Amino acid sequence: MTPIIETHLLNKKYGETHALQDVSIKIPAGTIGLLGPNGAGKSTFIKCLLQLENKTSGSVSLLGMNIDEKGRETRTRIGYAPEQDCHIPGMIGSEYVTYCGELSGLPFEDARQRAHEMLDFVGMGQERYRKVDTYSTGMKQRVKIAQALVHDPDLVFLDEPTNGLDPNGQAMVLDLITRIWKESGISVILSSHLLHDVDRVCERIVIISQGELLVHDELAHLKQQRRPEVELLLVDEPAILYEAFDRLQWKWEKLNNGKVKVVHGQNSLNPLLSLLDETGVAPLGISASPNALNELFLKALDKGPSK
Ligand code: ADP
């Protein structure tokens, strides 16, 4: 299968800021989360792919087409909902989405029909006949998604689509993302600084940190990977348990937070639970180590914005 996005040594500099550094990636179709803290380079990555910003160096192909040769053609097959508002002041919702369809090359009648279908799809009712300026943040986000889908693209970029939404609004937008892929077969790149958003709806994850590609993997794969260790909160000093750890050659140590960390080295917690049962030790708490996805995300947060 042709990757929907393929970059080779993609670089973008804004003056002294190296916003993207040697990003080489091949992304297959599906729902993909583009994750990283604010300032990591996510928007720059999207803008360079869409030629809204000129890349400094490197090559990019979208849907199998090199953007330097076929930029215009690729963009007719791509939708984009930017992070900031992009509506035209004074226009009513349905007019605006129809107009975006016409800008993408659809004849007026087709654009109008598709606009209403997409406004239905994103759950907009009679509000579509009101001026977009009067919309709530949630409605504005949904209209932005409708305009990104109006020309029936193969790939859509949604930049921070849950920003500013309450939990209900967030859930609604995330649900839409799943449906865009499952019902329409349109691949979605969801850019977000929230692990929760990406975790909920994406099959793959790309983490960018300080302009560099930190990880690209299937979400399920990353979530399966855990360091085989746990932290136990114990009532008093259960010598019998410590002796059992030593006998099994499980490394253990007392941590500053009062817990005991034990490296049990197993894929499952069952051997540890059996051991607790055998020794008659009932811990107050057992916390498994975070999975690789959480750890990588924390690492990305640690690094902060690109320099
Ligand atoms: P994200 O989308 O992950 O929040 P951005 O791509 O917006 O990150 O920004 C990446 C880095 O590039 C940041 O350090 C940001 O300050 C810088 N940057 C982004 N756009 C510009 C610009 N137009 N001019 C100068 N620096 C920019």
Side-chain angles (χ1 to χ4, degrees):
M1 280 270 280
T2 314
I4 51 166
I5 296 173
E6 182 167 1
T7 68
H8 183 65
L9 297 176
L10 176 62
N11 279 277
K12 172 67 187 175
K13 281 187 178 173
Y14 296 105
E16 290 301 300
T17 306
H18 209 153
L20 291 177
Q21 301 189 45
D22 291 340
V23 177
S24 297
I25 195 167
K26 280 185 196 177
I27 305 177
T31 45
I32 298 100
L34 180 59
L35 190 67
N38 286 326
K42 303 179 297 295
S43 297
T44 302
F45 182 66
I46 295 176
K47 285 178 186 166
C48 286
L49 300 190
L50 296 177
Q51 294 178 301
L52 296 170
E53 289 283 358
N54 288 323
K55 57 187 162 57
T56 306
S57 62
S59 67
V60 176
S61 292
L62 297 179
L63 305 167
M65 293 178 276
N66 185 314
I67 60 164
D68 291 329
E69 292 156 14
K70 297 190 169 171
R72 186 180 277 268
E73 199 177 329
T74 42
R75 286 199 302 277
T76 60
R77 292 173 54 194
I78 288 172
Y80 174 47
E83 186 176 1
Q84 68 283 4
D85 277 351
C86 60
H87 65 271
I88 299 167
M91 256 190 174
I92 66 168
S94 59
E95 266 176 15
Y96 166 63
V97 180
T98 304
Y99 183 59
C100 290
E102 287 184 273
L103 287 179
S104 306
L106 293 178
F108 173 72
E109 284 301 333
D110 294 354
R112 189 168 61 175
Q113 187 182 339
R114 263 301 284 188
H116 283 285
E117 285 168 15
M118 288 306 101
L119 287 162
D120 289 342
F121 178 75
V122 300
M124 295 284 288
Q126 293 301 307
E127 313 88 17
R128 71 185 67 182
Y129 301 111
R130 267 179 23 210
K131 284 187 181 167
V132 181
D133 317 51
T134 67
Y135 286 2
S136 64
T137 310
M139 287 179 199
K140 280 185 183 158
Q141 291 287 23
R142 282 187 277 148
V143 139
K144 233 187 321 182
I145 295 175
Q147 67 75 29
L149 297 173
V150 70
H151 56 303
D152 194 21
D154 295 319
L155 166 62
V156 70
F157 290 88
L158 306 179
D159 199 351
E160 302 276 2
T162 61
N163 262 8
L165 302 184
D166 62 20
N168 275 343
Q170 287 171 10
M172 193 180 253
V173 166
L174 293 176
D175 179 48
L176 274 178
I177 290 171
T178 311
R179 290 177 51 214
I180 291 171
W181 169 240
K182 292 230 164 101
E183 293 176 19
S184 314
I186 299 172
S187 290
V188 183
I189 306 287
L190 163 66
S191 161
S192 177
H193 63 285
L194 301 171
L195 179 58
H196 160 267
D197 283 7
V198 167
D199 190 9
R200 225 171 115 177
V201 294
C202 295
E203 297 160 340
R204 303 187 76 83
I205 187 163
V206 173
I207 301 183
I208 294 193
S209 170
Q210 286 193 339
E212 289 181 60
L213 178 65
L214 188 67
V215 66
H216 172 212
D217 205 340
E218 285 173 24
L219 206 69
H221 182 236
L222 285 174
K223 284 167 87 171
Q224 272 165 12
Q225 293 174 16
R226 269 178 203 278
R227 272 186 282 119
E229 63 187 43
V230 294
E231 287 180 18
L232 299 171
L233 184 57
L234 299 165
V235 188
D236 36 37
E237 294 287 317
I240 183 170
L241 185 66
Y242 298 157
E243 281 162 24
F245 289 162
D246 290 338
R247 193 175 65 246
L248 290 165
Q249 298 186 335
W250 290 357
K251 283 196 184 133
W252 61 278
E253 63 176 310
K254 292 180 191 169
L255 303 174
N256 291 338
N257 59 10
K259 294 181 180 174
V260 171
K261 182 166 103 177
V262 54
V263 183
H264 54 78
Q266 315 289 314
N267 288 331
S268 119
L269 278 184
N270 289 341
L272 175 74
L273 297 176
S274 303
L275 191 67
L276 290 168
D277 193 35
E278 276 165 32
T279 51
V281 175
L284 287 178
I286 303 181
S287 28
S289 64
N291 62 36
L293 173 62
N294 285 300
E295 288 189 6
L296 286 163
F297 183 58
L298 290 175
K299 191 169 156 194
L301 285 184
D302 230 20
K303 286 188 162 186
S306 40
K307 299 201 178 81

